Amino acid sequence: MDWGMRNRLSKIINPKDGRTLMLAVDHGYFLGPTTGLEKFREYVEPLVPYADTLFATRGMIRSSINPDIKTPIMLRNSGGTSILNKELLHEGITVDIEDVIRMNAVGIGYSITVGMPWERDTILDFSRVVDACERYGLIAMAVTAVGKELKRDARYLGLATRMAAEHGAHIVKTYYCDGFDKVVDACPVPIVMAGGKKIPEIDALTMAYNAIQAGAAGVDMGRNIFQSEDPVAMIRAVRELIHHDATPREALQFYEEHRQASGSRKKSGIAADDTKKI
Ligand code: 5RP
């Protein structure tokens, strides 16, 4: 790994503890105005100071995020289908590498779809994206997107994460499952856990804690932060787990104490709750 790539990786994963809290707010690329992200600037900006990296689309970063932020950006670089499409997740490359550089992003995130009819397309495209990232010292994160019909178990996620690494991913984002340590052990590059659909705060904190205990470098969490009753208190609680070794109970207590202090956000309620499908 050359100097530029190592430098960018160190902006994502804190070299002091080897961990990261990535905030995933890319959901609109196929879900539109996702619950909790409708007023993107208003809802996301208060969370940014607590994230080590922001994972979002170039359109939302350009239109809705202040360019003065210090938080590094990972750009969603795959897409092409919406939640209404039967071939959801039949994705291709959406951002030219020159624009990734122009946006001063540290890298990209690309979904591969192992076990789905178009797995070949997404894996070959991902390999092209890795080539482009390698050329400019950018970080390529593979997201192991999982179709509804596939089981998110250690066997499947072990296959998908290992394939992502074999095809050159520098980081792999995947879902938590029983036996997650086996998934992590067989993947030679850092794994970050996706949060998945919204679950109670204690369950989300426990899942993140267990993923870290199993060897994950951290999380790239979205809905379990921005759909929380109090997203700022929740991202701070997740931070306690990741960077301050809090237990899930301690992190929940932190959440409760800070929730009372900051109050909860009113939802506009215009977005269809399609987010359970991913
Ligand atoms: C789908 C994705 C999402 O766009 C998102 O990043 C997932 O985050 P979360 O599950 O924590 O809401 O990667 O494959």
Side-chain angles (χ1 to χ4, degrees):
M1 203 178 264
D2 66 21
W3 195 94
M5 194 174 273
R6 281 181 60 180
N7 179 259
R8 289 188 182 91
L9 191 61
S10 77
K11 294 188 189 314
I12 304 170
I13 299 177
N14 187 333
K16 289 198 186 113
D17 58 10
R19 293 195 183 154
T20 184
L21 195 180
M22 298 174 68
L23 175 65
V25 286
D26 59 318
H27 305 60
Y29 87 94
F30 68 101
L31 288 170
T34 312
T35 304
L37 293 180
E38 301 92 330
K39 300 179 188 175
F40 192 89
R41 182 190 296 267
E42 188 185 316
Y43 291 170
V44 174
E45 274 192 342
L47 305 175
V48 170
Y50 303 104
D52 294 319
T53 307
L54 195 57
F55 181 42
T57 59
R58 65 173 163 186
M60 297 317 281
I61 297 284
R62 260 190 207 128
S63 63
S64 312
I65 296 291
N66 185 334
D68 297 340
I69 64 162
K70 300 280 176 277
T71 312
I73 303 292
M74 288 282 276
L75 287 184
R76 163 60 72 176
N77 193 25
S78 64
T81 54
S82 77
I83 191 74
L84 304 178
N85 196 309
K86 284 197 189 71
E87 291 194 3
L88 174 65
L89 302 176
H90 189 170
E91 300 185 350
I93 299 167
T94 53
V95 186
D96 191 282
I97 202 72
E98 280 179 9
D99 210 31
V100 177
I101 296 165
R102 191 177 300 119
M103 299 276 303
N104 200 30
V106 287
I108 60 86
Y110 190 98
S111 288
I112 60 165
T113 55
V114 172
M116 301 181 73
W118 40 88
E119 66 174 10
R120 184 172 184 276
D121 297 356
T122 61
I123 288 168
L124 293 184
D125 272 355
F126 175 64
S127 299
R128 299 290 81 78
V129 171
V130 172
D131 285 339
C133 285
E134 291 279 346
R135 213 173 300 132
Y136 297 106
L138 295 161
I139 304 300
M141 178 173 78
V143 181
T144 66
V146 189
K148 276 198 301 278
E149 58 289 349
L150 293 162
K151 217 169 152 200
R152 294 179 188 194
D153 57 15
R155 194 179 158 90
Y156 172 78
L157 295 174
L159 170 71
T161 51
R162 179 59 175 261
M163 283 180 68
E166 300 262 356
H167 286 285
H170 305 113
I171 299 179
V172 181
K173 169 175 173 170
T174 198
Y175 292 94
Y176 185 74
C177 62
D178 287 341
F180 198 63
D181 53 332
K182 291 190 188 68
V183 176
V184 177
D185 287 350
C187 182
V189 297
I191 287 195
V192 290
M193 186 204 78
K197 66 176 192 290
K198 174 74 178 78
I199 52 179
E201 275 73 11
I202 184 61
D203 296 342
L205 292 167
T206 303
M207 185 169 69
Y209 176 84
N210 289 342
I212 288 162
Q213 296 307 305
V219 299
D220 184 17
M221 201 182 249
R223 288 163 286 174
N224 277 292
I225 291 174
F226 64 73
Q227 292 180 347
S228 168
E229 275 283 304
D230 190 323
V232 171
M234 186 59 179
I235 193 169
R236 293 183 64 191
V238 176
R239 212 172 164 80
E240 288 299 302
L241 275 183
I242 289 179
H243 291 302
H244 302 115
D245 290 326
T247 63
R249 285 271 149 220
E250 287 165 348
L252 184 71
Q253 191 180 343
F254 182 97
Y255 169 77
E256 294 296 353
E257 283 168 14
H258 291 82
R259 184 164 80 132
Q260 281 156 22
S262 58
S264 65
R265 174 212 289 169
K266 275 197 192 129
K267 299 271 165 45
S268 74
I270 59 155
D273 196 10
D274 272 334
T275 65
K276 293 196 177 73
K277 293 183 189 161
I278 58 168

